[in-house]
Amino acid sequence: MDQKDPKNADCVDNTHVVKLCDLAKYYRDEFIPAYADVVVYLSAKPDETLLEIENILSHVFQVLNPELSDKRKTENIEKAKGHLERATLDCLKIIWGSIGELIADINDDGDRKRYCVNLSESDFNRKVTEYNGLLAEARLIEMNSVGKTHDDTIKAYKRAIQLAKELVVAMDEAKMDSFASFRRIINIKSNTLSFVLGVLASLVATYLWARL
């Protein structure tokens, strides 16, 4: 039977196991949902998030280093948690950026807001105002959390994004596609009419000049 290397037998004690389990739970409950949303919205994996994942793994594997003291192992777990929080926050801000642009586009377009959203205009405006308030609150918390844990900032951005998603769900994609087609037709007709009127005006002007 193979003998265990005594140097590796106690590379992680129960305290570190518990902390690593807490880290894994945070990874599953907070990071994975945010990361999955980012990949869906961007159809790609953000470079900054991949870098944070690399940093997380580096610190986690240092916890398994039998040559490190318990204090150093604890420090590595704390550093891994910091990178995991940063990665989660980065994902949430990317999601906010993607959704925020769509909300702003619809909110600034009175016609699309009126005809392509499955909410009354007043309800949509109210929710947009509430969303902007939550976003401002998240930014303020983030500024006041510099050098501290990102937990409160993450919770604040999640509240804003949850409301943003409700606004996006209310946007009827089929209606927006139909409205976009309708606008293209109107623009084509308008441009054609302008061209025809321009030609007629030129012909009339030429005729009148010739009669002088």
Side-chain angles (χ1 to χ4, degrees):
M1 181 181 295
D2 294 337
Q3 295 295 318
K4 289 184 178 179
D5 184 347
K7 198 174 183 180
N8 293 325
D10 300 320
C11 67
V12 181
D13 63 21
N14 288 336
T15 302
H16 295 134
V17 169
V18 170
K19 290 180 178 179
L20 285 173
C21 287
D22 289 342
L23 188 68
K25 186 176 188 306
Y26 189 96
Y27 175 85
R28 294 191 302 270
D29 295 348
E30 301 293 339
F31 174 71
I32 287 297
Y35 189 46
D37 278 350
V38 165
V39 173
V40 168
Y41 278 107
L42 299 183
S43 298
K45 298 177 180 180
D47 290 338
E48 58 267 38
T49 306
L50 294 177
L51 178 59
E52 292 293 353
I53 292 173
E54 181 179 323
N55 290 329
I56 293 164
L57 290 174
S58 177
H59 288 298
V60 167
F61 279 107
Q62 279 296 86
V63 180
L64 304 177
N65 184 348
E67 297 181 358
L68 291 187
S69 65
D70 287 345
K71 180 182 178 181
R72 292 286 303 281
K73 290 177 182 179
T74 299
E75 289 173 353
N76 273 282
I77 293 175
E78 291 172 353
K79 289 178 180 179
K81 176 68 180 301
H83 285 295
L84 188 54
E85 288 180 354
R86 181 72 251 175
T88 304
L89 181 57
D90 285 344
C91 287
L92 292 174
K93 292 175 75 172
I94 292 171
I95 296 168
W96 153 66
S98 299
I99 297 179
E101 288 181 7
L102 178 58
I103 292 174
D105 286 344
I106 296 296
N107 193 49
D108 293 341
D109 188 331
D111 290 335
R112 285 203 295 171
K113 181 166 60 173
R114 193 172 301 111
Y115 299 116
C116 303
V117 177
N118 294 327
L119 283 174
S120 67
E121 192 170 356
S122 61
D123 283 345
F124 186 83
N125 290 338
R126 177 179 56 80
K127 283 182 176 288
V128 169
T129 300
E130 184 182 352
Y131 161 72
N132 288 331
L134 290 174
L135 192 56
E137 179 187 355
R139 287 169 170 168
L140 180 61
I141 292 173
E142 183 179 12
M143 286 191 300
N144 293 332
S145 299
V146 175
K148 304 175 185 177
T149 178
H150 296 296
D151 277 343
D152 290 340
T153 305
I154 288 170
K155 290 175 183 176
Y157 271 106
K158 285 176 69 176
R159 288 193 294 270
I161 289 171
Q162 180 58 44
L163 183 55
K165 287 181 176 180
E166 292 177 15
L167 287 167
V168 171
V169 168
M171 298 173 191
D172 194 313
E173 189 172 348
K175 288 181 181 178
M176 287 196 288
D177 289 342
S178 177
F179 190 77
S181 297
F182 173 74
R183 265 190 174 169
R184 283 194 294 271
I185 293 171
I186 293 298
N187 287 336
I188 290 172
K189 288 183 176 180
S190 176
N191 291 336
T192 301
L193 180 60
S194 296
F195 174 77
V196 170
L197 290 176
V199 171
L200 289 176
S202 177
L203 291 175
V204 170
T206 301
Y207 172 76
L208 293 176
W209 179 262
R211 299 273 298 178
L212 292 177

